[in-house]
Amino acid sequence: MADPANERDIAIVERQLGRYPRGMVAVGARCVCGRPLAVVTRPVLPGGIPFPTTCYLTSPEAVKAVSHVEANGVMAEYNAMLAADDEAGRELRAAYRMAHDLYLAFRHELAVRLGDSEEHIAGTSAGGMPVRVKCLHALLAQTLVMGRGANPIGDLTLARIAGEFAPNVCRCAIDAE
Ligand SMILES: [Zn+2]
């Protein structure tokens, strides 16, 4: 794991989420200030609960910014783009399918490394992938963890919320200590 979670990260994420981040194995993306923005969660939580949302958005500022654009009907817009019967639609569908495959490959590597079973989440990624847009929070989390180019809808979401949230502009309100 490139950036394993330490005690301080876990304490910050607990405050961001308002609950203990069970199964958190790494920080997937950090704000320019160092605080976690998204975490990597293991495929099976302690207690045996299957957990498909491997890349999980924790930054309250990012969560809020995404909720604003979701409330403005952006998901319907992205679903229409995905369904478009033209070249742009075909390209977007192909890239979105690749984001899904990448998500599954990322989780599979994690499952193998941790000895977690994917039995109950096989083929399930997050956010509505591979054919629908259902949760922009999950798609943005993938973009933050894997970088631009990994998920086209996550990339669009990040661009759309730039005025409210960006990983290189610290707006964190959660204390580190
Ligand atoms: Zn920050």
Side-chain angles (χ1 to χ4, degrees):
M1 195 56 55
D3 195 356
N6 61 41
E7 300 267 311
R8 184 172 175 272
D9 292 328
I10 292 170
I12 294 172
V13 172
E14 181 168 9
R15 253 168 274 153
Q16 288 177 326
L17 298 176
R19 60 175 171 76
Y20 185 81
R22 289 195 303 158
M24 170 179 165
V25 288
V27 175
R30 292 183 189 273
C31 178
V32 67
C33 74
R35 291 181 181 83
L37 296 175
V39 298
V40 175
T41 302
R42 64 188 304 169
V44 179
L45 299 183
I49 300 150
F51 194 81
T53 315
T54 309
C55 303
Y56 199 91
L57 193 64
T58 65
S59 156
E61 292 73 26
V63 168
K64 196 191 296 176
V66 172
S67 295
H68 288 159
V69 299
E70 281 189 351
N72 287 335
V74 170
M75 275 199 288
E77 182 186 320
Y78 291 165
N79 275 311
M81 286 167 65
L82 267 178
D85 187 22
D86 59 13
E87 190 57 33
R90 276 188 290 279
E91 278 178 18
L92 186 61
R93 280 192 291 282
Y96 199 53
R97 170 72 64 172
M98 279 181 64
H100 170 74
D101 292 342
L102 189 60
Y103 203 101
L104 296 183
F106 180 81
R107 188 176 68 220
H108 183 64
E109 198 184 313
L110 199 61
V112 169
R113 199 180 306 192
L114 297 170
D116 281 2
S117 165
E118 294 180 281
E119 185 187 356
H120 299 287
I121 51 177
T124 301
S125 60
M129 291 188 284
V131 292
R132 295 279 298 165
V133 176
K134 289 184 180 169
C135 176
L136 294 179
H137 298 86
L139 303 175
L140 176 67
Q142 183 180 8
T143 284
L144 292 176
V145 172
M146 301 185 190
R148 280 177 215 259
N151 187 310
I153 305 292
D155 291 356
L156 288 173
T157 303
L158 184 58
R160 184 74 71 112
I161 63 175
E164 268 191 277
F165 167 83
N168 60 343
V169 180
C170 178
R171 296 181 177 92
C172 297
I174 297 279
D175 285 338
E177 302 302 329

